[in-house]
Amino acid sequence: TGGSGFIGGHLVRRLLKETNCIIFNIDNLTYASDIESILNIEQSKNRFFLYRIDIKDSHLVSQAVKEIKPDIIFHLAAETHVDRSLDNPLRFIETNIIGTFNILQASLNYYQKLSLLKQKSFRLHHISTDEVFGSLGSTGKFDEETKYDPRSPYSASKASSDHLVRAWFHSYKLPILITNCSNNYGPYQFPEKLIPLAINKALNGESIPLYGKGENVRDWLFVNDHARAIDVIFHHGKLGETYNIGGFNEWKNIDLIKVIIKTVDRLLGREEGASDKLITYVTDRAGHDLRYAIDPTKLKDELGWEPSLQFEEGIKKTVKWYLENQEWLDNVASGVYQEYYQNMYKN
Ligand code: NAD
Ligand code: DAU
């Protein structure tokens, strides 16, 4: 589910290119989705099928799972932007909590009818966030034992979904895995999230809004490394367990923005510091979590995963991608893709 979103898209393209699997993507194509980037790759032919379904609809979800007969399920569909959750919390409650409940029920009904052999290899992998752990002070990191302490409607809805997934494991023995990852960045991210937003603004010479004093800290991971971690955990993770995924890469927002605009200016051949004046301090986000940092030791020690890309390289690659794909950026930001999907994929 959610295979046309930012992380889902990277996971789908990875699976199409590196395996022979057939992918059925349950996604209702919200503003944050992009399906062209999947359909444009050759391996998608006869191996990628879209079910344009809203996961809030229990009947459609259950029908789809029965029809698809999946060997495994990766659940990524969600409302994901904290600021939107402050403006419209109900949407997050419905998609992230009720939607996950629907996926769990449909999976369980399906799982219980599988042969013992198929049951052995089936799993539901729930993709979640480090925001469920709340906010850190200037020291410490989140590990798998950190108590849940979500503070925004988004993180509270994701925390609820994690609890539901764990409950279905203990109560009904549904084979699940949960991963909680830190902030992702990379190509194809909708430009409302900080990194693509800053790149887009810098490109167009528009002011870049920095919340509060710009001192909040996030732990950034290149999206392909997240997709690879999901792949590793899905294959080798222990059922019922949680794994934290992080980049060992903390940045204060203000320092991050400076790196981004420096990279944009350099790649566009602008004078050094030309875009510094675009940074604009604005009213802080309500309940703005101060710091996130993941301790991914369990994943590293037990399954041997580590981030593969250094941040300097990752950010350069990312900025370059947005500069070379300005049409994508303009289309996704202006909603052109949305109109196109409305006509192309009628429910
Ligand atoms: P995204 O917003 O880019 O994509 C979400 C996808 O879900 C979209 O394709 C959208 O159309 C689909 N979707 C939303 N509501 C739906 C509904 N009601 N029915 C069907 N489909 C629906 O999100 P993302 O950044 O790719 O995040 C994917 C998952 O990873 C989410 O569960 C998120 O909580 C988690 N996560 C994200 C990050 C991050 O930094 N982006 C970090 C950790 C975890
Ligand atoms: O930690 C994982 C989470 O990371 C994911 O679960 C979420 O889906 C994802 O959206 C992201 O949440 P954040 O709130 O950390 O990401 P965002 O890009 O919205 O903001 C990053 C930081 O930048 C945060 O401290 C708020 C700040 N910010 C954000 C925006 C959009 C600004 O200063 N200005 C902005 O305009």
Side-chain angles (χ1 to χ4, degrees), residues 5-7 27-28 30 54-55 76 80 95 128 154 158 184:
F6 166 51
I7 300 168
D27 194 307
N28 69 343
T30 68
D54 191 323
I55 59 167
L76 293 99
T80 60
T95 289
S128 193
Y154 164 66
K158 289 296 291 187
N184 285 216

Side-chain angles (χ1 to χ4, degrees), residues 44-317:
S44 69
K45 293 192 182 73
N46 303 320
R47 286 184 48 214
F48 177 80
F49 302 92
L50 173 69
Y51 273 64
R52 190 175 185 196
I53 283 175
D54 191 323
I55 59 167
K56 297 197 286 287
D57 188 323
S58 61
H59 178 68
L60 289 180
V61 169
S62 154
Q63 289 264 92
V65 171
K66 269 190 212 149
E67 209 173 291
I68 294 167
K69 300 187 179 58
D71 295 315
I72 51 160
I73 298 179
F74 294 107
H75 176 40
L76 293 99
E79 287 289 343
T80 60
H81 192 44
V82 174
D83 294 329
R84 287 182 191 249
S85 83
L86 295 164
D87 295 340
N88 187 351
L90 179 61
R91 222 189 162 91
F92 286 69
I93 303 307
E94 289 176 341
T95 289
N96 298 356
I97 306 179
I98 306 292
T100 299
F101 165 73
N102 290 336
I103 297 289
L104 284 167
Q105 285 294 75
S107 304
L108 183 63
N109 286 336
Y110 167 73
Y111 171 76
Q112 287 174 335
K113 293 185 188 95
L114 287 176
S115 66
L116 280 179
L117 194 68
K118 288 230 163 198
Q119 279 190 343
K120 241 183 144 186
S121 58
F122 180 85
R123 56 213 56 196
L124 169 69
H125 185 146
H126 176 61
I127 313 308
S128 193
T129 170
D130 60 356
E131 297 200 14
V132 300
F133 301 121
S135 183
L136 291 164
S138 54
T139 58
K141 285 178 192 289
F142 302 131
D143 64 26
E144 288 77 4
E145 304 304 319
T146 304
K147 97 174 160 54
Y148 275 41
D149 187 18
R151 284 131 188 266
S152 74
Y154 164 66
S155 54
S157 68
K158 289 296 291 187
S160 307
S161 68
D162 291 9
H163 290 320
L164 289 175
V165 172
R166 228 168 258 124
W168 261 241
F169 172 73
H170 291 292
S171 303
Y172 306 112
K173 309 279 176 263
L174 183 70
I176 61 97
L177 290 155
I178 299 179
T179 46
N180 295 86
C181 188
S182 63
N183 288 61
N184 285 216
Y185 71 98
Y188 295 110
Q189 187 169 31
F190 190 81
E192 65 184 347
K193 307 279 167 71
L194 183 64
I195 290 184
L197 177 119
I199 297 171
N200 197 19
K201 298 282 184 192
L203 251 174
N204 294 309
E206 291 168 8
S207 65
I208 302 168
L210 199 51
Y211 297 162
K213 294 185 178 148
E215 287 182 348
N216 303 66
V217 174
R218 297 293 182 264
D219 179 357
W220 294 94
L221 178 70
F222 194 64
V223 60
N224 287 346
D225 276 332
H226 186 185
R228 187 169 49 84
I230 292 173
D231 201 347
V232 168
I233 294 162
F234 155 72
H235 278 103
H236 305 291
K238 206 169 147 214
L239 291 181
E241 296 259 326
T242 290
Y243 295 85
N244 281 1
I245 311 169
F248 297 104
N249 182 40
E250 293 180 49
W251 283 85
K252 250 186 205 171
N253 290 342
I254 177 65
D255 297 334
L256 177 73
I257 295 299
K258 284 184 180 162
V259 170
I260 290 170
I261 53 184
K262 198 168 162 186
T263 314
V264 172
D265 284 348
R266 201 172 278 166
L267 288 171
L268 287 179
R270 290 178 185 159
E271 204 181 301
E272 171 114 31
S275 300
D276 289 357
K277 59 180 183 303
L278 300 177
I279 299 175
T280 311
Y281 289 91
V282 299
T283 309
D284 209 355
R285 172 185 277 174
H288 196 172
D289 290 336
L290 178 66
R291 176 170 163 259
Y292 305 145
I294 280 276
D295 174 3
T297 308
K298 175 178 173 183
L299 179 55
K300 184 169 178 253
D301 289 355
E302 290 184 15
L303 306 184
W305 176 92
E306 275 186 282
S308 69
L309 204 65
Q310 289 300 314
F311 184 67
E312 288 64 27
E313 202 187 324
I315 204 72
K316 211 162 134 196
K317 218 169 158 171

